[in-house]
Amino acid sequence: MEIIILKSVIALLLLLSVVCFGFCTAIDTMTSTRFIEDPETLVSNGSAFKLGFFSLADSTNRYVGIWYSTPSLSTVIWVANRDKPLNDSSGIVTISEDGNLQVMNGQKEIVWSSYVSNASANSSAQLLDSGNLVLQDNSGRITWESIQHPSHSLLPKMKISTNTNTGEKVVLTSWKSPSDPSIGSFSLGMNPLNIPQVFIWNGSHPYWRSGPWSSQIFIGIPDMDSVFRSGFQVVDDK
C-alpha cells in the first residue's frame, strides 16, 4: 500500500512539473495562439528585458511597454499605447489574423497596432536581449521592429534619422510627465542642413542643438569623446 501511494505521489509531482514547464517558464515569443494578458510578460532569452503591462506612480492607467528586467534598472525604454492607456487590467497583447501586433482592451477594441501592410498571417513577435521587439513571418523576414519606432529612449543600434527626399523623420519624443508617457512637447532628431546636427525641438521651435558632426564628435559637445567613448556614428546612406 505504501509503495502504491509513493508511486502515485511521484507521478503527481512529475505531472505538475510538466505543467509548470509548459506554463511557468518565461517566454520571449508571441504567436497568434500564444498571447499575453495583463499582468503576464515576455522575457528576452538572456533575461535582459521584459515586455508587458505596467502602471506609473500616481496613476492607475495601464500601458504596454519594454523595460530592463533587473530591478535596480527597471527603467521603461519603450511604450506602445502612449496616448491610449487602458483603464483596467483586462488588456491583452496579441497578433491579429492579418499578422499585426495589437494591444486590445477588455472589450476587444484595438488601442494600438503595428499597422504593417505587408505582414504575414503566420507572424510571430520576439523580444530580443537588445530591447528590440521584432515582428517576423515564418521565413524570418522582419516586417516591423520597435527599435525603428522609438518612443523616448535611445538604445544601442537604434537609428535616429531624417529622409532628405521625403522629409520623414525618426525621432525621440518626451513624456508629458513622470506619470504620463503620452507624447510631450519636446522631440530629438537629426537635422541634415549642410552638415548633420542633432536638434531638440520644443514643438516646432529649436530648443538645443549639438553643433555639426566633425566625423568623430558633435563639436557643440566638447567632452563627447571622453563621455560617450565615440559611441555614435553619423552615416549618409543616400
Side-chain angles (χ1 to χ4, degrees), residues 148-217:
Q148 292 302 318
H149 300 269
S151 54
H152 63 286
S153 295
L154 186 66
L155 297 176
K157 298 187 178 180
M158 182 179 286
K159 296 177 182 179
I160 302 301
S161 62
T162 295
N163 187 318
T164 55
N165 294 322
T166 65
E168 182 181 0
K169 293 182 178 182
V170 176
V171 300
L172 303 181
T173 50
S174 64
W175 287 16
K176 281 190 175 179
S177 74
S179 59
D180 182 357
S182 59
I183 295 175
S185 301
F186 292 91
S187 60
L188 179 147
M190 293 293 297
N191 193 328
L193 300 174
N194 294 323
I195 302 176
Q197 300 185 50
V198 174
F199 270 72
I200 294 176
W201 295 275
N202 184 356
S204 59
H205 302 289
Y207 178 80
W208 175 89
R209 66 187 181 96
S210 65
W213 178 251
S214 72
S215 78
Q216 293 181 317
I217 65 170

Side-chain angles (χ1 to χ4, degrees), residues 35-237:
F35 51 86
I36 62 171
E37 300 177 278
D38 194 352
E40 296 173 332
T41 60
L42 292 185
V43 182
S44 62
N45 187 50
S47 300
F49 289 92
K50 288 184 178 181
L51 177 144
F53 297 83
F54 69 94
S55 291
L56 295 161
D58 303 319
S59 174
T60 58
N61 289 335
R62 300 292 282 171
Y63 300 91
V64 172
I66 299 171
W67 60 88
Y68 290 98
S69 60
T70 304
S72 60
L73 295 172
S74 57
T75 305
V76 175
I77 54 95
W78 183 83
V79 187
N81 56 321
R82 295 180 66 177
D83 291 307
K84 290 188 176 181
L86 300 164
N87 55 20
D88 57 33
S89 57
S90 62
I92 64 171
V93 185
T94 186
I95 296 179
S96 63
E97 292 182 358
D98 67 0
N100 271 288
L101 269 168
Q102 291 183 345
V103 178
M104 304 177 72
N105 62 21
Q107 291 73 49
K108 307 303 181 185
E109 297 169 330
I110 300 170
V111 299
W112 177 88
S113 173
S114 54
Y115 291 118
V116 178
S117 59
N118 62 340
S120 168
N122 295 317
S123 293
S124 61
Q126 184 179 19
L127 180 61
L128 306 181
D129 271 329
S130 61
N132 193 16
L133 178 65
V134 297
L135 181 67
Q136 53 195 345
D137 61 22
N138 53 11
S139 69
R141 178 180 65 98
I142 294 176
T143 57
W144 180 93
E145 51 187 331
S146 62
I147 205 168
Q148 292 302 318
H149 300 269
S151 54
H152 63 286
S153 295
L154 186 66
L155 297 176
K157 298 187 178 180
M158 182 179 286
K159 296 177 182 179
I160 302 301
S161 62
T162 295
N163 187 318
T164 55
N165 294 322
T166 65
E168 182 181 0
K169 293 182 178 182
V170 176
V171 300
L172 303 181
T173 50
S174 64
W175 287 16
K176 281 190 175 179
S177 74
S179 59
D180 182 357
S182 59
I183 295 175
S185 301
F186 292 91
S187 60
L188 179 147
M190 293 293 297
N191 193 328
L193 300 174
N194 294 323
I195 302 176
Q197 300 185 50
V198 174
F199 270 72
I200 294 176
W201 295 275
N202 184 356
S204 59
H205 302 289
Y207 178 80
W208 175 89
R209 66 187 181 96
S210 65
W213 178 251
S214 72
S215 78
Q216 293 181 317
I217 65 170
F218 292 106
I219 63 174
I221 313 175
D223 58 351
M224 179 178 177
D225 191 51
S226 61
V227 173
F228 295 105
R229 310 292 183 188
S230 300
F232 290 92
Q233 293 180 328
V234 177
V235 178
D236 181 1
D237 63 3

